[in-house]
Amino acid sequence: MSAPEPTFMSTSSPRSIRRRRMGTVFAVLCGAATMVGVVSLAVLLVDVALDGLPRLDIDFLTSFASRLPERSGIKAALVGSVWLLVLTALISFPMSVAAAIYLEEYAPRNWITRIIQTNIANLAGVPSIVYGILGLALFVRFLGFDRSVLSGALTLSLLVMPVIIMAAQEAIKAVPGTIREAAYGLGATRWQVVSTQVLPMALPGILTGTILALSRAVGETAPLIMVGAVGFIAFTPSGPMDRFTVLPLQIYNWVSRPQDEFRALAAAGIVVLLVLLLTMNAIAIVLRNRYQTRS
Amino acid sequence: MRDGVEQVSQEGATLSFRRSRNVKERVIGAGLFACAAVSTLVTVGVVAVLLGETVNFFSQVSIVEFFTGTRWEPMFLEKHFGVLPLLAGSFMVAGGAALIALPVGLLTAIFLSEYASQGLRKTLKPVLEILAGIPTVVYGYFALTFVTPVIRTFFPETDVFNAASASIVVGIMIIPTVSSLSEDALRAVPNALREGAYGLGATRLEVATRVVVPAALSGIFASFILAVSRAIGETMAVTIAAGNLPNMTLNPFESIQTMTAYIVQASLGDTPRGTVVYQTLFAVGMTLFLITLAMNILSQWVLSRFREEYE
Amino acid sequence: MSTTYDIDTEGRLPALEARDVSVHYGDNEAVKKVSLVVPSKRVVALIGPSGCGKSTLLRCFNRMNDLVPAARVSGEVNFRGQNLYAEEVDPVEVRRRIGMVFQKPNPFPKSIFDNVAFGPRINGYEGDLDALVEESLRQSALWEEVHDRLGDSAYALSGGQQQRLCIARTLAVKPEMVLMDEPASALDPIATQRIEELIYELKKDYTIVIVTHNMQQAARISDYTAFLYMGDLIEYGPTETIFTNPREEQTEAYITGRFG
């Protein structure tokens, strides 16, 4: 029997070398592409930090915006953002969860349900500025809420509701069917099953999704511009009908000024905004992990 | 006798208990349905509001001029209402962003799905998610203070406000959209197919590009369409970085104005109700809404129509 | 205890020779120092209860275990005199020469033609692809049924047809040996029978190693049978001997159905 050729199945055969080289090139290409995202993020964060951290101090957090950059601060914007956040959460959360419960536990599998479902998916993809237009026409003008925190909160609620509904649906779907069966088997009504079994189990997932959706809302600017939040607010809201401003809007205002000092202010404002978002996301992740390990 | 009496009263109590439970259940069910139906109302509301003022707008401005005119000057004394410059601006930014995000996002997805180890994936995915979570104002700031100066060192002729800067930044912003959805599509391809290909003597590159990616193509395309739709709907980053100058040009180094930037500009100014300028808000908004809606529906259709069944 | 009979390689170089092959998953030893000789152009069956390591052992023969990061293979697998696990051997080339058919049919979501043509294409085949595809489909007894619809999706075929397509796909790269991991276990009895007939035909040109949990199948189609239990090779010899007169008690117990 003849012995196999020296390059039989060998890594040093020309075909083998060529294929491996192409493979390495491709792998490096994919890795490099991944790095584009990572490096961009790093550069962005470093750029913002370098510009903003020097300007960040207690005065900044406790002063109102002013025409003079040295005396400007984001107190109004920060408080406004928090107001908006809480109000939006209060409005959007119950309705979204209710809608999700309906879709997952009550809705029959017919065309009406399908339309509602597709509609929600479509709404999630509508640009945020369109919600601003709707908010302007409906809440500010038609319902007469004018340029208030309430208008802003209602507008943002419309924006985040589809996202929360979809996240809540996922969380409810994840509850095992056996739990429901056991409860039904004991003679519980549908609402009892939902309120005593399904909802408690799905709640951490729902909360995580809600916090993530709300963190998106915190960063929104365009819809709020449309409903009249403006940059020159020198007070904090004391009621839902007051005028207001939010962090992103204040940042936008400062960015629009050509002077360098305002750039630094903008960067400092961004740092505060990012810290707020980071906190919210961290809470969401902690929630997710804690309840994942438990179950 | 006594038992009979007790039995009747027990039954009676049970029946009324069940009836009141039924009523309560029905009310709750109706309430929940109402909440779900609100979502439909929102869509109806959006369409109604946009349509209403758009109709008013077109009673004063010809549709032909709107869709074919190349000058958008609604606030000048001599008004022109051609929307093409805004469309051109939006599509140029979105196109440039796609040029960056689609290849980078897809290659990232392939890396995460076919090459990266579990540990690496666990570290990289959150990083990309953070990228997606950064507010658009921040991207606008980054474009203006970092990207544009960099561009200008290489191309000194560039305007301070330019489309390229906005494109780059929006591109970075939508990378996670592409990579995350594409990765889901890639990972949904069953391992049995990969094994079959390896068994025939394929390299990892060949398995990834000739088996896995073709199998996941519908999901990948859907992610592309969705990403472009997001780029078109992007507002603050382009408003800050690209400028407010409606401009029919293919030159990315000039200022332009996108549909979204115009809407912001118009609402920052004084726009009393009933004026044509107020109505332009809605006409442009309607155009934007229809474009993004069409793309989102297209993306869902691609996903459902060409979904592979991995029997 | 283990018994290996003298395998009559009939004067030809054995297709494959395993020497002290072991596979570790972490601390767990799935295959324990198995040695056996696979004669050329014969069918060798690996039998044994679930989890005994037969699939793992099979996957050593074409280095598929390389794709599992947790697996560690030791020992030698000599194919035509060359150790497959030697440093300078390219596993990709190994897999072209030693083909594999899997338990569940796994055709690509492509046309019938493209499925069979995939292997040749990636290996740089420059000849007449149509002729090669036809030849492979004839060899796997599928040509008559699909010759007029080669452009159809592979998923339009039945389970049995898909498996024969996978066999054609494997044969298209002209391997010297074909490994089959329970190729008929997902198929109905009629399709199973066709696969078995096919294997009987194929052994004229190919060496075949087949893993099966179906003892009757092993008895029907194989020339040699190896019985594995918990990672150990208990007995290996001519099929007839194994099934009618096994030497080891465990073998007999398994054959007669007392466990497994």
Side-chain angles (χ1 to χ4, degrees):
Chain A
M1 232 29 298
S2 53
E5 329 91 70
T7 53
F8 176 67
M9 298 193 302
S10 158
T11 50
S12 52
S13 78
R15 248 183 67 77
S16 181
I17 293 180
R18 200 176 4 112
R19 279 166 101 186
R20 255 174 322 126
R21 189 171 298 152
M22 283 196 349
T24 322
V25 166
F26 185 71
V28 167
L29 198 62
C30 289
T34 314
M35 280 302 117
V36 168
V38 176
V39 167
S40 302
L41 181 63
V43 170
L44 189 151
L45 291 178
V46 166
D47 179 50
V48 165
L50 286 180
D51 288 346
L53 284 177
R55 187 64 184 81
L56 195 59
D57 53 25
I58 290 292
D59 286 333
F60 178 71
L61 292 174
T62 54
S63 320
F64 290 110
S66 144
R67 244 177 292 254
L68 303 169
E70 323 81 72
R71 294 210 288 189
S72 259
I74 51 159
K75 183 164 167 192
L78 185 54
V79 174
S81 277
V82 172
W83 260 88
L84 195 65
L85 180 61
V86 170
L87 220 53
T88 307
L90 287 176
I91 298 174
S92 62
F93 185 72
M95 270 216 288
S96 305
V97 175
I101 293 176
Y102 173 78
L103 287 170
E104 285 298 315
E105 301 286 326
Y106 282 76
R109 297 237 167 282
N110 59 18
W111 60 274
I112 303 182
T113 310
R114 240 201 325 262
I115 289 185
I116 297 183
Q117 198 76 78
T118 338
N119 185 46
I120 290 178
N122 280 329
L123 282 176
V126 169
S128 57
I129 198 164
V130 173
Y131 283 105
I133 299 178
L134 178 62
L136 173 65
L138 183 61
F139 302 125
V140 175
R141 302 270 162 108
F142 183 68
L143 287 178
F145 293 144
D146 207 21
R147 305 164 151 223
S148 58
V149 189
L150 186 60
S151 291
L154 286 167
T155 308
L156 284 190
S157 297
L158 293 183
L159 177 68
V160 298
M161 260 182 64
V163 183
I164 301 182
I165 293 178
M166 286 168 69
Q169 277 187 271
E170 288 298 311
I172 293 175
K173 250 192 268 237
V175 174
T178 49
I179 307 256
R180 291 183 185 80
E181 281 168 12
Y184 279 123
L186 290 167
T189 66
R190 193 175 302 213
W191 176 244
Q192 282 175 330
V193 172
V194 166
S195 56
T196 59
Q197 299 296 335
V198 176
L199 211 47
M201 266 194 83
L203 204 56
I206 296 177
L207 283 177
T208 309
T210 309
I211 295 179
L212 291 176
L214 288 174
S215 69
R216 233 195 86 184
V218 164
E220 285 292 340
T221 321
L224 296 173
I225 292 182
M226 308 228 37
V227 299
V230 286
F232 267 124
I233 300 286
F235 55 87
T236 59
S238 49
M241 297 309 288
D242 283 349
R243 306 182 72 177
F244 72 111
T245 186
V246 287
L247 279 171
L249 190 52
Q250 188 63 71
I251 295 170
Y252 171 64
N253 253 295
W254 283 329
V255 168
S256 311
R257 316 288 194 82
Q259 296 97 330
D260 280 340
E261 300 89 358
F262 284 110
R263 295 284 168 84
L265 282 172
I270 292 177
V271 172
V272 173
L273 177 60
L274 290 180
V275 166
L276 176 59
L277 288 175
L278 194 65
T279 320
M280 289 179 74
N281 278 291
I283 295 178
I285 294 178
V286 162
L287 249 178
R288 184 198 287 164
N289 288 341
R290 224 182 356 128
Y291 283 93
Q292 237 168 31
T293 48
R294 256 214 224 163
S295 61
Chain B
M1 209 68 236
R2 230 179 38 181
D3 290 329
V5 168
E6 260 185 81
Q7 207 176 23
V8 164
S9 65
Q10 241 179 17
E11 267 179 17
T14 317
L15 278 177
S16 66
F17 172 52
R18 203 175 292 138
R19 208 174 288 138
S20 70
R21 270 170 103 191
N22 255 343
V23 167
K24 183 172 162 212
E25 283 291 310
R26 289 252 196 86
V27 167
I28 292 181
L32 296 177
F33 173 73
C35 290
V38 164
S39 61
T40 347
L41 286 180
V42 172
T43 310
V44 169
V46 168
V47 172
V49 162
L50 290 176
L51 204 55
E53 291 291 348
T54 307
V55 163
N56 284 342
F57 175 74
F58 282 126
S59 70
Q60 303 203 28
V61 175
S62 91
I63 293 193
V64 174
E65 187 197 341
F66 185 70
F67 283 114
T68 61
T70 57
R71 287 170 71 176
W72 181 257
E73 291 154 5
M75 301 192 249
F76 289 17
L77 272 176
E78 192 191 309
K79 300 179 186 295
H80 291 272
F81 292 102
V83 82
L84 288 184
L86 297 183
L87 279 177
S90 288
F91 279 107
M92 187 156 70
V93 170
L99 221 59
I100 297 175
L102 300 193
V104 170
L106 180 57
L107 289 175
T108 306
I110 295 177
F111 182 76
L112 289 174
S113 162
E114 307 296 314
Y115 284 89
S117 67
Q118 268 285 62
L120 201 56
R121 203 185 301 135
K122 273 211 181 120
T123 335
L124 287 175
K125 288 204 72 164
V127 170
L128 292 174
E129 264 172 59
I130 296 178
L131 205 60
I134 296 201
T136 69
V137 242
V138 180
Y139 276 109
Y141 174 88
F142 184 59
L144 198 62
T145 62
F146 185 89
V147 179
T148 298
V150 167
I151 296 180
R152 295 185 88 189
T153 54
F154 290 109
F155 300 96
E157 311 281 289
T158 316
D159 294 339
V160 172
F161 298 110
N162 59 81
S165 183
S167 282
I168 291 174
V169 150
V170 173
I172 296 175
M173 198 187 309
I174 58 176
I175 289 176
T177 308
V178 177
S179 74
S180 158
L181 290 176
S182 293
E183 192 204 336
D184 286 344
L186 291 171
R187 301 197 62 192
V189 176
N191 248 348
L193 291 183
R194 292 182 183 82
E195 286 208 314
Y198 278 122
L200 292 166
T203 60
R204 193 184 292 240
L205 159 61
E206 285 154 1
V207 171
T209 55
R210 299 176 77 143
V211 175
V212 182
V213 167
L217 218 48
S218 68
I220 294 176
F221 273 150
S223 82
F224 284 177
I225 299 173
L226 220 58
V228 173
S229 166
R230 271 201 63 190
I232 293 179
E234 175 32 51
T235 312
M236 294 319 292
V238 300
T239 309
I240 295 175
N244 276 309
L245 202 63
N247 187 2
M248 282 225 55
T249 175
L250 278 177
N251 182 352
F253 301 116
E254 294 178 23
S255 299
I256 48 125
Q257 188 175 51
T258 61
M259 291 186 281
T260 49
Y262 170 71
I263 297 176
V264 169
Q265 177 195 30
S267 47
L268 277 175
D270 203 11
T271 50
R273 204 162 172 209
T275 61
V276 179
V277 176
Y278 179 74
Q279 288 159 357
T280 57
L281 265 176
F282 294 82
V284 176
M286 181 62 137
T287 316
L288 176 68
F289 174 68
L290 288 176
I291 293 178
T292 50
L293 187 67
M295 295 190 78
N296 290 342
I297 292 180
L298 181 66
S299 148
Q300 285 180 19
W301 181 77
V302 165
L303 206 52
S304 66
R305 173 85 163 70
F306 296 105
R307 185 184 301 258
E308 298 292 357
E309 279 163 28
Y310 307 114
E311 269 286 81
Chain C
M1 283 278 17
S2 134
T3 304
T4 303
Y5 297 80
D6 266 333
I7 302 297
D8 178 12
T9 59
E10 301 155 43
R12 297 193 289 268
L13 188 70
L16 192 108
E17 201 187 328
R19 270 194 218 152
D20 289 335
V21 173
S22 297
V23 181
H24 288 84
Y25 286 107
D27 291 331
N28 177 32
E29 201 177 359
V31 174
K32 300 174 187 164
K33 288 209 166 173
V34 171
S35 300
L36 53 77
V37 172
V38 175
S40 180
K41 302 226 171 120
R42 290 279 171 268
V43 178
V44 171
L46 306 180
I47 63 172
S50 312
C52 67
K54 46 194 200 290
S55 284
T56 315
L57 177 63
L58 190 74
R59 281 158 174 257
C60 290
F61 295 163
N62 69 347
R63 293 194 62 171
M64 280 298 269
N65 279 330
D66 284 18
L67 302 172
V68 182
R72 249 179 329 125
V73 179
S74 53
E76 267 183 37
V77 178
N78 289 317
F79 177 66
R80 282 181 42 179
Q82 198 177 3
N83 181 9
L84 295 182
Y85 284 89
E87 277 260 3
E88 69 277 3
V89 171
D90 185 1
V92 170
E93 295 287 313
V94 170
R95 295 188 203 116
R96 186 191 74 68
R97 296 212 138 95
I98 304 178
M100 187 168 244
V101 177
F102 300 85
Q103 187 171 345
K104 211 166 156 271
N106 57 358
F108 303 129
K110 300 174 194 283
S111 68
I112 295 174
F113 185 91
D114 286 332
N115 261 278
V116 183
F118 181 82
R121 280 187 181 132
I122 58 170
N123 281 291
Y125 185 70
E126 279 159 24
D128 185 350
L129 210 47
D130 292 323
L132 180 56
V133 169
E134 179 177 341
E135 185 192 340
S136 310
L137 287 170
R138 280 190 192 280
Q139 277 186 302
S140 68
L142 192 58
W143 177 253
E144 293 301 316
E145 290 164 60
V146 301
H147 68 100
D148 52 352
R149 46 176 179 142
L150 293 177
D152 284 2
S153 163
Y155 293 142
L157 300 174
S158 73
Q161 288 172 321
Q162 283 185 10
Q163 191 64 305
R164 277 179 282 146
L165 177 63
C166 291
I167 293 177
R169 183 175 74 179
T170 310
L171 297 179
V173 293
K174 303 261 172 247
E176 285 142 65
M177 197 160 113
V178 179
L179 308 174
M180 300 196 178
D181 194 347
E182 306 205 34
S185 66
L187 306 177
D188 62 75
I190 299 185
T192 302
Q193 191 183 1
R194 297 196 72 169
I195 299 281
E196 290 181 10
E197 286 165 6
L198 185 55
I199 295 177
Y200 202 76
E201 279 295 311
L202 287 175
K203 89 171 170 188
K204 295 181 196 147
D205 300 307
Y206 302 93
T207 310
I208 297 179
V209 180
I210 174 170
V211 164
T212 177
H213 66 265
N214 181 340
M215 280 184 288
Q216 291 80 7
Q217 183 176 85
R220 278 193 292 270
I221 61 176
S222 68
D223 303 305
Y224 299 92
T225 301
F227 170 61
L228 285 106
Y229 181 65
M230 304 273 276
D232 283 303
L233 175 64
I234 305 295
E235 195 163 346
Y236 178 51
T239 299
E240 222 190 293
T241 320
I242 296 283
F243 278 95
T244 56
N245 193 15
R247 265 198 229 157
E248 298 288 333
E249 236 189 86
Q250 272 177 302
T251 319
E252 199 191 333
Y254 181 70
I255 304 282
T256 54
R258 259 183 275 146
F259 75 94

